[in-house]
Amino acid sequence: MCTVVIDVTDAATARLLAVRDEDPLRAWDALGEWWPETHPAVLGIRDRRAGGAWLAVNPEERRLAVLLNRADVVDLPDELALTRGTLALESVLGRSPVAPLSMHGFNLLEVRPEGARVLSWDGISLRETLIESGTHMIAHDDLDDEDTPRIATWLPEFRALGPTAQSSDWVGEWVALLATSAQLDPADDRAIIRDNRPHGYPTQSLLYATASVTPDGVVIADHSLPRPAHWTD
């Protein structure tokens, strides 16, 4: 139940804040070049178990991708499901998924030179949602879905900060708002920094990343939380 906030200026410029929710017992590696043989020059946050990436970036081609889970509308046995961890890695090399897919549901957010978009797979169909100029938010359902409490609560607050292109410190402003959101109980449906265990999932917020993709290049940073689902110790 990850969360991404993204501000798009034009096809060539986007800035985002991504929060990763995962089982704390599932080992991972911070941002690095973990795939030099198969995905050279690609950086990402690696899942050690499956070897894939939650977030990946190809600085040379100014491509970035973030993977978010989405519910299936059909039952796919786990033993038949391929890992979704390859999606972000392939995306930043210009290879987006094509249906049909033997995978559980996902939202794949892609920032590309052609513009930003979300590819959504529910087990039956693969849909494309182009991301227009402005500030947007996505979690486990559709882009800017007001039925998702954290989006209904916090998207207006991020939009109220104004366009990131007009800010001298958009990262500081967005992270400060994220810190404000973390004052909510992490099990609250409105929370961005989350503890999903009361909702039946083992995942908790573990880290956040900020990134800007502009004609000048890519700037990205990742930050681990001091402990799962907590902004401070």
Side-chain angles (χ1 to χ4, degrees):
M1 298 177 71
C2 305
T3 307
V4 176
V5 187
I6 181 169
D7 182 56
V8 173
T9 303
D10 51 42
T13 304
R15 300 173 180 87
L16 63 86
L17 166 69
V19 177
R20 186 189 187 200
D21 296 351
E22 184 53 270
D23 185 343
L25 299 180
R26 186 160 182 154
W28 56 279
D29 292 303
L31 192 69
E33 295 187 29
W34 300 110
W35 308 271
E37 296 181 359
T38 58
H39 298 81
V42 170
L43 292 84
I45 295 173
R46 181 175 66 168
D47 172 62
R48 290 184 191 172
R49 182 185 301 175
W54 164 69
L55 175 151
V57 60
N58 181 344
E60 292 181 1
E61 297 186 13
R62 293 187 290 109
R63 293 179 179 272
L64 183 148
V66 185
L67 177 66
L68 304 93
N69 290 346
R70 185 183 181 102
D72 297 330
V73 297
V74 295
D75 291 328
L76 175 66
D78 288 342
E79 62 270 18
L80 298 180
L82 300 175
T83 178
R84 292 167 289 190
T86 60
L87 292 169
L89 292 172
E90 292 293 290
S91 169
V92 299
L93 293 183
R95 300 191 287 259
S96 298
V98 177
L101 296 157
S102 184
M103 291 179 176
H104 290 303
F106 62 79
N107 286 322
L108 181 67
L109 185 146
E110 297 185 317
V111 177
R112 312 165 300 150
E114 309 94 296
R117 67 177 180 176
V118 176
L119 296 178
S120 300
W121 170 251
D122 62 8
I124 293 179
S125 63
L126 184 68
R127 295 186 292 110
E128 177 190 50
T129 302
L130 299 178
I131 305 179
E132 299 178 351
S133 297
T135 303
H136 305 273
M137 197 167 176
I138 190 166
H140 55 279
D141 285 313
D142 291 340
L143 186 72
D144 300 337
D145 192 332
E146 294 184 354
D147 289 333
T148 304
R150 81 193 89 152
I151 293 178
T153 301
W154 295 106
L155 180 55
E157 300 294 328
F158 278 100
R159 284 177 170 168
L161 294 175
T164 55
Q166 298 177 12
S167 172
S168 60
D169 184 21
W170 74 271
V171 171
E173 293 171 356
W174 277 30
V175 171
L177 184 54
L178 180 61
T180 298
S181 79
Q183 295 174 17
L184 289 170
D185 186 292
D188 192 314
D189 279 338
R190 299 168 297 168
I192 300 175
I193 301 299
R194 304 191 57 78
D195 183 345
N196 297 306
R197 292 174 296 178
H199 305 286
Y201 305 95
T203 56
Q204 301 175 64
S205 296
L206 303 180
L207 65 96
Y208 69 92
T210 57
S212 64
V213 181
T214 72
D216 294 329
V218 177
V219 178
I220 186 168
D222 60 326
H223 309 268
S224 298
L225 297 182
R227 57 191 176 107
H230 288 78
W231 187 256
T232 59
D233 286 326

